[in-house]
Amino acid sequence: MIICPNCQSRELNGSLFCSECGAQLVVPKVPTTHSIERNQTGLFRLQTRPLSPPSPVTPSTAAQVEISLHLVQSGMILHLSDKKEYTLGRIADGQTTLPDVDFSPYEAYAQGVSRLHAVLKINNQRVFLRDLGSSNGTRVNGQKISPNQDYLLNHGDIVALGRFKIQVLIRK
Protein backbone atom coordinates (compact mmCIF):
# COMPACT_ATOMS: atom_id res chain seq x y z
CA MET A 1 0.00 0.00 0.00
CA ILE A 2 1.01 3.61 -0.61
CA ILE A 3 0.21 6.27 2.00
CA CYS A 4 -0.72 9.67 0.56
CA PRO A 5 1.70 12.29 1.95
CA ASN A 6 -1.07 14.90 1.83
CA CYS A 7 -4.12 13.26 3.48
CA GLN A 8 -2.71 9.92 4.74
CA SER A 9 -5.21 7.93 2.65
CA ARG A 10 -4.15 4.35 1.82
CA GLU A 11 -3.85 3.67 -1.92
CA LEU A 12 -3.03 0.57 -3.96
CA ASN A 13 0.56 0.01 -5.06
CA GLY A 14 1.12 1.56 -8.46
CA SER A 15 -1.41 4.36 -7.91
CA LEU A 16 -0.29 7.66 -9.39
CA PHE A 17 -2.79 9.90 -7.60
CA CYS A 18 -4.62 9.81 -4.31
CA SER A 19 -8.27 8.87 -4.85
CA GLU A 20 -9.28 11.08 -1.88
CA CYS A 21 -7.45 14.38 -2.44
CA GLY A 22 -5.93 14.06 -5.94
CA ALA A 23 -2.35 14.53 -4.75
CA GLN A 24 0.32 13.06 -6.99
CA LEU A 25 1.74 9.97 -5.26
CA VAL A 26 4.64 9.20 -7.59
CA VAL A 27 6.82 11.91 -9.10
CA PRO A 28 8.73 10.54 -12.12
CA LYS A 29 12.28 11.81 -12.56
CA VAL A 30 11.96 11.77 -16.35
CA PRO A 31 8.63 12.35 -18.11
CA THR A 32 7.39 9.11 -19.63
CA THR A 33 4.42 7.98 -21.65
CA HIS A 34 2.01 5.64 -19.92
CA SER A 35 -0.79 3.45 -21.14
CA ILE A 36 -3.66 4.44 -18.90
CA GLU A 37 -6.52 2.13 -18.05
CA ARG A 38 -9.36 2.36 -15.59
CA ASN A 39 -8.51 0.72 -12.31
CA GLN A 40 -10.17 -0.20 -9.03
CA THR A 41 -9.09 2.99 -7.25
CA GLY A 42 -11.73 4.98 -9.16
CA LEU A 43 -9.08 7.30 -10.62
CA PHE A 44 -10.77 7.24 -14.01
CA ARG A 45 -14.35 6.79 -12.96
CA LEU A 46 -16.68 7.85 -15.70
CA GLN A 47 -20.08 8.90 -14.55
CA THR A 48 -23.07 9.01 -16.79
CA ARG A 49 -24.88 11.93 -15.26
CA PRO A 50 -26.83 14.55 -17.14
CA LEU A 51 -24.93 17.78 -17.54
CA SER A 52 -26.82 20.94 -16.85
CA PRO A 53 -25.77 24.51 -16.22
CA PRO A 54 -25.32 25.18 -12.49
CA SER A 55 -27.24 27.75 -10.56
CA PRO A 56 -25.61 31.18 -10.37
CA VAL A 57 -22.99 31.59 -7.66
CA THR A 58 -21.35 34.60 -6.14
CA PRO A 59 -17.69 35.35 -6.87
CA SER A 60 -15.09 34.40 -4.28
CA THR A 61 -11.39 33.78 -3.97
CA ALA A 62 -9.79 30.77 -5.62
CA ALA A 63 -6.90 30.45 -3.19
CA GLN A 64 -8.30 27.31 -1.53
CA VAL A 65 -8.76 25.28 -4.73
CA GLU A 66 -5.90 23.75 -6.69
CA ILE A 67 -6.36 22.30 -10.16
CA SER A 68 -4.09 19.88 -11.96
CA LEU A 69 -4.64 18.63 -15.49
CA HIS A 70 -3.64 15.04 -16.17
CA LEU A 71 -3.04 14.66 -19.91
CA VAL A 72 -4.40 11.16 -20.46
CA GLN A 73 -2.40 10.23 -23.57
CA SER A 74 1.03 11.39 -22.37
CA GLY A 75 0.62 10.96 -18.62
CA MET A 76 1.94 14.50 -18.02
CA ILE A 77 0.55 16.58 -15.15
CA LEU A 78 0.08 20.33 -15.52
CA HIS A 79 -0.43 22.17 -12.23
CA LEU A 80 -2.46 25.38 -12.39
CA SER A 81 -2.10 28.02 -9.69
CA ASP A 82 -2.58 31.66 -8.75
CA LYS A 83 -5.55 32.43 -11.00
CA LYS A 84 -9.32 32.09 -10.91
CA GLU A 85 -9.66 31.55 -14.67
CA TYR A 86 -7.61 29.65 -17.27
CA THR A 87 -8.18 29.57 -21.02
CA LEU A 88 -7.35 26.22 -22.65
CA GLY A 89 -6.21 25.85 -26.26
CA ARG A 90 -3.22 25.82 -28.54
CA ILE A 91 -0.92 28.40 -30.08
CA ALA A 92 -0.75 28.98 -33.85
CA ASP A 93 1.42 31.30 -35.94
CA GLY A 94 0.12 34.88 -35.97
CA GLN A 95 -2.30 34.32 -33.11
CA THR A 96 -2.77 37.50 -31.08
CA THR A 97 -4.73 36.15 -28.12
CA LEU A 98 -2.91 33.26 -26.45
CA PRO A 99 -4.42 30.61 -24.14
CA ASP A 100 -3.24 30.40 -20.53
CA VAL A 101 -2.72 26.65 -20.96
CA ASP A 102 -1.11 25.75 -24.30
CA PHE A 103 -1.58 22.14 -25.45
CA SER A 104 0.43 22.63 -28.68
CA PRO A 105 3.39 20.53 -27.44
CA TYR A 106 1.01 17.57 -26.99
CA GLU A 107 -0.24 17.32 -30.61
CA ALA A 108 -3.34 19.34 -29.80
CA TYR A 109 -3.86 20.53 -33.39
CA ALA A 110 -4.03 16.95 -34.71
CA GLN A 111 -6.54 16.06 -32.00
CA GLY A 112 -8.93 18.91 -32.76
CA VAL A 113 -8.14 21.47 -30.06
CA SER A 114 -9.12 25.00 -31.06
CA ARG A 115 -6.86 28.02 -30.44
CA LEU A 116 -9.15 29.22 -27.65
CA HIS A 117 -11.14 26.06 -26.97
CA ALA A 118 -12.49 26.33 -23.41
CA VAL A 119 -12.07 28.07 -20.08
CA LEU A 120 -11.77 26.69 -16.54
CA LYS A 121 -13.12 28.94 -13.80
CA ILE A 122 -12.87 28.68 -10.03
CA ASN A 123 -15.82 30.21 -8.20
CA ASN A 124 -16.91 29.57 -4.61
CA GLN A 125 -14.44 26.66 -4.31
CA ARG A 126 -16.08 24.98 -7.31
CA VAL A 127 -14.56 24.45 -10.75
CA PHE A 128 -16.53 25.16 -13.91
CA LEU A 129 -15.82 24.47 -17.58
CA ARG A 130 -17.11 26.55 -20.50
CA ASP A 131 -16.67 25.70 -24.18
CA LEU A 132 -15.78 28.89 -26.09
CA GLY A 133 -17.54 27.90 -29.32
CA SER A 134 -14.77 25.50 -30.35
CA SER A 135 -14.76 23.88 -33.79
CA ASN A 136 -14.71 20.27 -32.55
CA GLY A 137 -16.68 20.63 -29.33
CA THR A 138 -16.05 19.70 -25.71
CA ARG A 139 -17.21 16.65 -23.78
CA VAL A 140 -17.33 15.95 -20.05
CA ASN A 141 -17.29 12.24 -19.20
CA GLY A 142 -18.35 11.49 -22.77
CA GLN A 143 -21.28 13.91 -22.87
CA LYS A 144 -21.12 16.86 -25.25
CA ILE A 145 -21.61 20.24 -23.59
CA SER A 146 -23.21 23.30 -25.12
CA PRO A 147 -20.99 26.28 -25.96
CA ASN A 148 -20.94 29.37 -23.75
CA GLN A 149 -22.49 27.71 -20.67
CA ASP A 150 -20.71 26.88 -17.43
CA TYR A 151 -20.67 23.22 -16.35
CA LEU A 152 -19.67 22.10 -12.87
CA LEU A 153 -16.66 19.76 -12.80
CA ASN A 154 -15.89 17.17 -10.14
CA HIS A 155 -12.55 15.69 -9.15
CA GLY A 156 -11.59 13.00 -11.67
CA ASP A 157 -13.87 14.15 -14.50
CA ILE A 158 -12.56 13.43 -18.00
CA VAL A 159 -12.74 16.43 -20.35
CA ALA A 160 -12.26 15.97 -24.09
CA LEU A 161 -11.30 19.03 -26.14
CA GLY A 162 -12.00 17.57 -29.57
CA ARG A 163 -10.27 14.18 -29.15
CA PHE A 164 -7.68 15.50 -26.65
CA LYS A 165 -8.49 13.98 -23.23
CA ILE A 166 -7.68 15.56 -19.88
CA GLN A 167 -8.52 14.34 -16.40
CA VAL A 168 -9.28 17.26 -14.09
CA LEU A 169 -7.86 16.83 -10.58
CA ILE A 170 -9.32 19.18 -8.00
CA ARG A 171 -7.90 19.65 -4.52
CA LYS A 172 -9.74 21.77 -1.98
Side-chain angles (χ1 to χ4, degrees):
M1 297 299 265
I2 298 173
I3 304 296
C4 174
N6 185 51
C7 72
Q8 309 307 313
S9 172
R10 300 183 85 184
E11 301 296 329
L12 294 175
N13 286 335
S15 296
L16 298 175
F17 304 97
C18 176
S19 61
E20 293 297 317
C21 70
Q24 188 171 359
L25 299 175
V26 179
V27 180
K29 293 180 182 174
V30 177
T32 58
T33 301
H34 300 280
S35 174
I36 299 175
E37 299 175 7
R38 291 183 208 144
N39 58 30
Q40 294 177 351
T41 66
L43 183 62
F44 291 102
R45 67 179 189 278
L46 294 177
Q47 300 172 349
T48 54
R49 58 179 166 81
L51 294 172
S52 58
S55 58
V57 291
T58 58
S60 80
T61 62
Q64 297 174 0
V65 176
E66 295 177 25
I67 303 173
S68 295
L69 303 178
H70 175 225
L71 310 184
V72 174
Q73 185 175 353
S74 70
M76 295 291 295
I77 306 290
L78 303 177
H79 300 283
L80 307 181
S81 61
D82 301 328
K83 292 177 73 176
K84 293 192 328 186
E85 190 171 300
Y86 302 90
T87 53
L88 309 176
R90 63 177 173 82
I91 294 176
D93 290 338
Q95 185 176 347
T96 56
T97 305
L98 304 177
D100 297 313
V101 181
D102 176 25
F103 295 121
S104 299
Y106 309 102
E107 301 180 11
Y109 176 77
Q111 295 187 48
V113 177
S114 294
R115 291 179 184 127
L116 292 176
H117 197 107
V119 64
L120 282 174
K121 296 183 203 176
I122 301 171
N123 192 348
N124 247 2
Q125 294 191 357
R126 299 190 300 175
V127 179
F128 298 91
L129 177 73
R130 174 182 286 214
D131 180 274
L132 296 174
S134 63
S135 298
N136 294 304
T138 302
R139 295 181 177 272
V140 176
N141 296 327
Q143 294 184 337
K144 187 171 176 109
I145 65 172
S146 300
N148 302 311
Q149 290 185 354
D150 289 344
Y151 290 87
L152 179 64
L153 293 179
N154 295 302
H155 173 73
D157 281 349
I158 302 291
V159 173
L161 307 176
R163 293 181 315 279
F164 187 75
K165 291 186 179 178
I166 304 162
Q167 183 178 33
V168 180
L169 306 173
I170 302 168
R171 181 174 163 198
K172 296 181 182 181

